[in-house]
Amino acid sequence: MSEDRIRELVDQMTLAEQVSLLSGEDIWSLPAIARLGIHKLRVTDGPNGARGGGGLVGGVKSAAFPVGIALGATWNTELVKEVGSALADEVKSKGAHVSLSPTVNIHRSVTNGRNFECYSEDPVLTAQLSGAFIAGLQEQGIAATIKHFVGNESEIERTTIDSMIDERTLREVYLIPFEHAVKVAGTWGIMSSYNRLNGTYTSENEWLLTQVLRNEWHYSGIVMSDWFGSHATAATVNAGLDIEMPGPPRDRGQKLVDAVAAGEVSADMVRERALNVLRLIDRTGAIDDERPYEERADDRPAHRALIRRAGAEGTVLLQNHGLLPLDPATVGRVAVIGPNAKTAQIMGGGSAQLNPHYAVSPWDGLAAVFGEGRLSYAIGATNHRYEPRLEQRFDVEFFNSPDLSGEPVHRGEQQGGEIFLFGYVAPGITDRQVWSARYSTDYVPAYTGEHRVGVLSAGFTRAKVDGRLVADNWGGHWKAGRSFFEEGSDEVVGTIYLEAGRSYRVELEFGKKPFRILDFSAARIGIGLPLGDKAIAAAAALARDADVAIVCVGRTGEWDTEGSDLLDIKLPGRQDELVSAVARVNRRTIVVLQTGGPVEMPWLDDVAAVVQSWYPGQEAGNSIADVLTGAAEPGGRLPQSFPVRWNDNPVHSQDREIYPGLAGKVRYEEGVFVGYRHYDRQGIAPLFPFGFGLGYTSFELSDLAVDDSRFEADGAVSVYVTLANIGARAGSEVVQLYVGDESSSVPRPAKELKAFAKVQLAAGETARVKLELGERDFAFYSVEAKHWVVEPGAFTLMVGTSAADIRLSAQIRRNNRVLIPV
Ligand code: BGC
């Protein structure tokens, strides 16, 4: 539809109709306006798949793609575009028009719980990859909603925290992916973040939403709030927030109509916001989408293959003392050890979760290539944060009282020991703020011994076994903790001796309690049997008798999750001890790490190989097996520096003002020195640097040539370098171009990534690689000049294969000073 037609249509609307477009109707949709033939617009989470309108865990099945950091590790814009395009199919299969993705906040701290969802510590890598992802989505007619705009780099107090970021740092680091999404990728949607930015909620920050976004960047799409992230009527509308989510409206609807009548918001302002929303409804085709709403589970072979390939391309080979790749024909007996061996860790936690079509564990993937006969298994240690969730069926009784008193008003069933209720509760519940329920099941333990029963909840809970209270998280016992998006408690654990084979009646009692910011009810019950020295010894015994030991360790979506930051970057539980015990008895030990970011590796010198495979989606085990056997090249390069220890990270500090924040404020004091910029400045050698990753072949870089004939005139510089695969196998390398400003008048990083190319070469093949730079690639942002500034002097162009491995460099000079408008 033409812009003129969109304007005409908006002008046919009453004020109330325009206002109706500015809030959700329900959690995942905007209302239709039947009188004008405008149909509903539906949105769905999230960045690694399309979850649809069901619950966080139990909705219609979907394809699970690699998470953001795994895509970040591919450094492959074409591949990430393919993923975006496949995700568009998934969004369509869920009857939606808008994907709530990609997530592009920057890996500022290694402990941010949501780093797994984001691409990188580097703004340019993040921008290039997320831009490709957006293009993949939008070329298929599905809108992207790049998020969270801006300054959401930690999850602590995330709905209220004030991110104190100076303007230069914002412009040079945190805004870059959004600027690229608007100016280059042409995103149709942006989601504001929960946090405040320099004192004002981003959802009502006029500088951000109007001055920068609309006036400077000329954005024509929509800005929607994060879920419950709008806190005002006039302030959000006037600042530039188009849509309040989710619905039904809290700040808008009649309140906004009244605000117009009171002169707090002008009718023109409402019209402008409605125009933006209608443009989105038109761009996505939702405007005349008459299909009956349905959600399908389309398990497509093409998606399976893409996910498997992308998983391997994101896998980073960190160390290899000649053991990998393993030859399936000659490998012998393989001990597969660790908590992540038989459990497929395919995604992180929070709103990016979905119900996957299937999940291939490392064990399954290895069994498919080696045959189960050659494999043996021991768990060795656990890595859960919470006691293992009960996965069986529960009977449920609902009560119209806060404490399970009175007669049940409804009886139903529930699969699994986790509930998450957003809105509707059950038939017969008259007040969603006052209700309770009893979830009961018969539990038969497999082992005899002291068991741990754990409950955590947004709401009150207590667990009983055969009528005996074991874990009490009710009333005064409930304390706010780090679960369920900061609405929940920490886990409360009680112990009880149980006998194998006997049946016990387990009851989880739930009572709704007043919410803090997000109105939902959630609870989880798990029962576990602690593992001790014996389990580690058994794993070591298995490894001693094997030819190769593959130890699958890491974290899970309970740790790498929205709503909660990590307390440190050590492998949880006794996994470090497990790796060391195995390495002591078998020198041919391979560690397969699955985490959403770096971990300390005290055992690194004792193992033969380390592979980092993040959370690569539903094909996890197949991608891992492909890399271990060499069926696929480990194509990944680190999108985040891995420090030796957490203390080396720029924002590790005993000063909580810097991270995770104090008195409601988090100060970005390191400024532009994030990630490798910090390690360079401090002279700290990371364990593995940004951009690093090994392959199964070797590359040589040579013959650097620079064409700077236009540098002085318009800033364009072309860099040429020859890449040769000098090994015996095909493989890929990422050629990275960093720029250093040698004569700047302001403190600048020693080097900044400005361009890169991922190149695939056959054995013996050579390619001439061209990388192009523009004027902005040499500039810093001057708050005084309100412009990007390129100063006269020398610039070093550094070409290498990581931030710590620069192979070739050249200097260019210019004599003039240039101001580039924002
Ligand atoms: C998250 C968003 C997400 C939204 C809807 C919020 O908690 O921060 O990223 O899209 O929920 O699920």
Side-chain angles (χ1 to χ4, degrees):
M1 193 182 287
S2 71
E3 189 67 20
D4 285 348
R5 183 73 194 100
I6 292 176
R7 282 170 199 277
E8 275 169 34
L9 200 50
V10 161
D11 290 332
Q12 285 169 32
M13 293 178 192
T14 63
L15 176 70
E17 283 168 340
Q18 291 179 352
V19 164
S20 75
L21 292 182
L22 307 188
S23 304
E25 179 170 66
D26 54 34
I27 303 173
W28 307 115
S29 75
L30 260 56
I33 304 182
R35 181 178 79 82
L36 298 171
I38 299 169
H39 290 78
K40 273 182 97 61
L41 177 94
R42 290 180 203 277
V43 307
T44 178
D45 278 318
N48 51 271
R51 190 178 65 243
L56 276 188
V57 281
V60 174
K61 292 199 172 194
S62 308
F65 292 86
V67 300
I69 196 168
L71 295 180
T74 69
W75 292 64
N76 185 337
T77 48
E78 273 161 41
L79 177 68
V80 174
K81 186 173 175 193
E82 274 184 74
V83 170
S85 165
L87 182 56
D89 296 334
E90 284 292 285
V91 173
K92 288 177 192 170
S93 76
K94 298 295 180 289
H97 313 97
V98 178
S99 171
L100 304 176
S101 73
T103 314
V104 298
N105 299 103
I106 297 290
H107 299 163
R108 173 176 177 250
S109 164
V110 287
T111 51
N112 175 26
R114 225 169 166 178
N115 279 350
F116 79 89
E117 221 182 299
C118 307
Y119 290 79
S120 172
E121 71 185 20
D122 183 83
V124 170
L125 180 60
T126 303
Q128 298 285 335
L129 294 175
S130 55
F133 184 92
I134 293 168
L137 273 173
Q138 294 193 169
E139 280 174 18
Q140 306 303 318
I142 295 298
T145 318
I146 187 170
K147 62 190 185 184
H148 308 86
F149 194 47
V150 65
N152 182 188
E153 271 72 35
S154 53
E155 291 295 291
I156 302 281
E157 299 172 27
R158 67 173 185 151
T159 49
T160 50
I161 198 130
D162 190 358
S163 297
M164 309 290 287
I165 317 176
D166 67 87
E167 187 179 347
R168 177 178 166 211
T169 300
L170 271 172
R171 301 260 190 190
E172 289 188 28
V173 181
Y174 298 97
L175 287 175
I176 293 286
F178 296 97
E179 183 180 8
H180 180 88
V182 171
K183 291 183 176 172
V184 181
T187 190
W188 295 339
I190 295 178
M191 186 189 290
S192 58
S193 53
Y194 280 125
N195 52 279
R196 296 175 164 98
L197 176 66
N198 298 324
T200 310
Y201 277 116
T202 58
S203 56
E204 48 196 76
N205 192 315
E206 195 188 352
W207 175 80
L208 185 69
L209 302 187
T210 297
Q211 186 179 318
V212 173
L213 189 57
R214 305 272 176 196
N215 300 350
E216 296 176 7
W217 298 351
H218 307 296
Y219 178 57
S220 67
I222 57 94
V223 183
M224 73 171 71
S225 72
D226 200 344
W227 267 230
F228 305 100
S230 157
H231 305 276
T233 304
T236 62
V237 179
N238 289 334
L241 184 77
D242 299 298
I243 305 170
E244 169 205 27
M245 285 305 276
R250 289 172 317 283
D251 299 330
R252 299 187 174 188
Q254 189 56 43
K255 278 193 196 162
L256 180 50
V257 174
D258 294 345
V260 174
E264 292 162 19
V265 179
S266 70
D268 275 355
M269 191 61 98
V270 169
R271 177 178 175 275
E272 198 181 313
R273 304 265 155 270
L275 258 178
N276 293 338
V277 178
L278 191 60
R279 199 177 296 121
L280 176 74
I281 295 175
D282 175 55
R283 280 168 163 170
T284 55
I287 194 156
D288 43 36
D289 182 356
E290 289 175 341
R291 294 171 303 163
Y293 173 51
E294 58 154 357
E295 296 199 9
R296 293 187 319 270
D298 288 349
D299 182 2
R300 302 182 189 210
H303 288 179
R304 290 179 167 222
L306 173 63
I307 292 168
R308 182 169 183 164
R309 179 157 58 91
E313 266 229 39
T315 298
V316 187
L317 179 60
L318 292 172
Q319 174 166 294
N320 185 16
H321 297 322
L323 181 57
L324 293 175
L326 298 171
D327 179 355
T330 59
V331 74
R333 285 156 307 151
V334 182
V336 184
I337 292 168
N340 286 354
K342 284 201 171 176
T343 305
Q345 300 298 347
I346 68 168
M347 60 191 164
S351 66
Q353 285 176 90
L354 46 79
N355 188 9
H357 290 306
Y358 57 90
V360 181
S361 68
W363 171 270
D364 294 337
L366 292 166
V369 274
F370 295 135
E372 278 215 4
R374 276 195 278 172
L375 306 187
S376 56
Y377 166 74
I379 186 166
T382 57
N383 63 357
H384 54 248
R385 181 172 187 175
Y386 308 123
E387 294 307 322
R389 191 174 57 204
L390 286 180
E391 298 297 354
Q392 54 200 76
R393 205 185 55 79
F394 286 73
D395 295 320
V396 195
E397 296 169 311
F398 290 93
F399 302 85
N400 260 328
S401 62
D403 53 4
L404 300 102
S405 57
E407 285 302 306
V409 292
H410 178 70
R411 288 193 164 83
E413 284 185 2
Q414 145 94 20
Q415 180 53 44
E418 182 156 348
I419 59 167
F420 194 95
L421 296 170
F422 217 160
Y424 179 75
V425 178
I429 294 294
T430 46
D431 183 346
R432 283 187 205 163
Q433 302 303 328
V434 185
W435 62 277
S436 52
R438 179 180 294 113
Y439 297 78
S440 321
T441 192
D442 293 320
Y443 176 69
V444 182
Y447 299 94
T448 297
E450 189 97 311
H451 283 65
R452 289 164 60 84
V453 180
V455 289
L456 54 143
S457 47
F460 299 134
T461 40
R462 57 190 160 216
K464 294 179 178 167
V465 177
D466 280 352
R468 189 179 128 196
L469 179 64
V470 182
D472 190 356
N473 197 20
W474 198 280
H477 294 283
W478 187 96
K479 301 245 167 347
R482 289 189 172 201
S483 73
F484 294 121
F485 309 96
E486 292 198 312
E487 288 289 340
S489 62
D490 287 330
E491 190 175 40
V492 173
V493 179
T495 55
I496 185 167
Y497 187 84
L498 302 177
E499 283 169 31
R502 241 197 77 185
S503 179
Y504 296 87
R505 190 73 176 158
V506 173
E507 290 167 317
L508 171 71
E509 295 181 347
F510 180 91
K512 172 76 176 160
K513 69 174 261 310
F515 57 94
R516 214 170 54 90
I517 293 189
L518 309 175
D519 184 8
F520 60 81
S521 300
R524 184 186 191 287
I525 179 166
I527 301 186
L529 189 73
L531 292 180
D533 297 343
K534 272 194 197 152
I536 294 182
L542 202 73
R544 188 180 297 116
D545 292 341
D547 297 296
V548 174
I550 301 177
V551 193
C552 301
V553 290
R555 294 194 295 248
T556 71
E558 293 175 0
W559 299 99
D560 288 298
T561 180
E562 177 179 339
S564 171
D565 287 350
L566 297 162
L567 293 171
D568 58 43
I569 56 166
K570 295 184 194 318
L571 279 175
R574 299 183 65 183
Q575 294 182 95
D576 281 332
E577 286 174 70
L578 174 64
V579 176
S580 296
V582 170
R584 255 197 304 279
V585 297
N586 193 328
R587 289 180 46 246
R588 289 160 60 86
T589 293
I590 302 161
V591 175
V592 175
L593 269 179
Q594 286 201 261
T595 57
V599 286
E600 295 169 5
M601 303 182 203
W603 32 258
L604 184 65
D605 292 342
D606 307 325
V607 301
V610 182
V611 165
Q612 169 59 266
S613 75
W614 322 107
Y615 301 119
Q618 64 194 25
E619 288 281 332
N622 287 334
S623 301
I624 290 169
D626 285 349
V627 168
L628 295 183
T629 57
E633 174 79 1
R637 301 293 181 267
L638 289 182
Q640 189 185 158
S641 311
F642 273 32
V644 175
R645 60 189 77 80
W646 182 26
N647 312 40
D648 293 346
N649 191 235
V651 299
H652 179 276
S653 167
Q654 297 315 310
D655 178 358
R656 285 179 34 94
E657 282 186 46
I658 298 173
Y659 188 89
L662 194 67
K665 292 186 192 323
V666 53
R667 304 161 69 92
Y668 287 41
E669 280 189 357
E670 71 291 345
V672 298
F673 295 90
V674 186
Y676 60 88
R677 298 159 165 82
H678 162 82
Y679 296 97
D680 277 352
R681 179 169 66 153
Q682 300 297 331
I684 300 171
L687 188 61
F688 297 107
F690 173 78
F692 173 81
L694 303 168
Y696 294 145
T697 182
S698 319
F699 289 92
E700 226 171 50
L701 282 167
S702 63
D703 300 319
L704 176 66
V706 178
D707 175 1
D708 63 346
S709 52
R710 285 165 54 200
F711 188 32
E712 190 105 18
D714 65 6
V717 173
S718 301
V719 176
Y720 302 84
V721 65
T722 298
L723 179 73
N725 180 349
I726 55 169
R729 298 171 56 104
S732 61
E733 185 54 285
V734 178
V735 182
Q736 302 163 33
L737 173 58
Y738 298 84
V739 175
D741 183 347
E742 303 305 334
S743 29
S744 170
S745 62
V746 300
R748 294 194 68 183
K751 63 170 102 64
E752 292 176 297
L753 181 78
K754 293 298 176 185
F756 59 89
K758 186 161 200 184
V759 187
Q760 174 80 33
L761 292 179
E765 202 186 343
T766 292
R768 191 76 175 142
V769 180
K770 181 180 181 188
L771 297 161
E772 295 190 84
L773 300 172
E775 194 106 85
R776 268 274 299 264
D777 295 321
F778 298 91
F780 63 89
Y781 184 77
S782 163
V783 178
E784 295 72 43
K786 294 192 175 11
H787 275 74
W788 294 87
V789 180
V790 188
E791 291 183 325
F795 295 87
T796 307
L797 306 177
M798 292 162 262
V799 177
T801 53
S802 83
D805 188 8
I806 300 303
R807 306 270 178 91
L808 302 163
S809 64
Q811 271 207 355
I812 56 174
R813 300 191 65 85
R814 65 187 293 160
N815 299 313
N816 56 345
R817 181 171 197 262
V818 177
L819 294 183
I820 310 165
V822 285

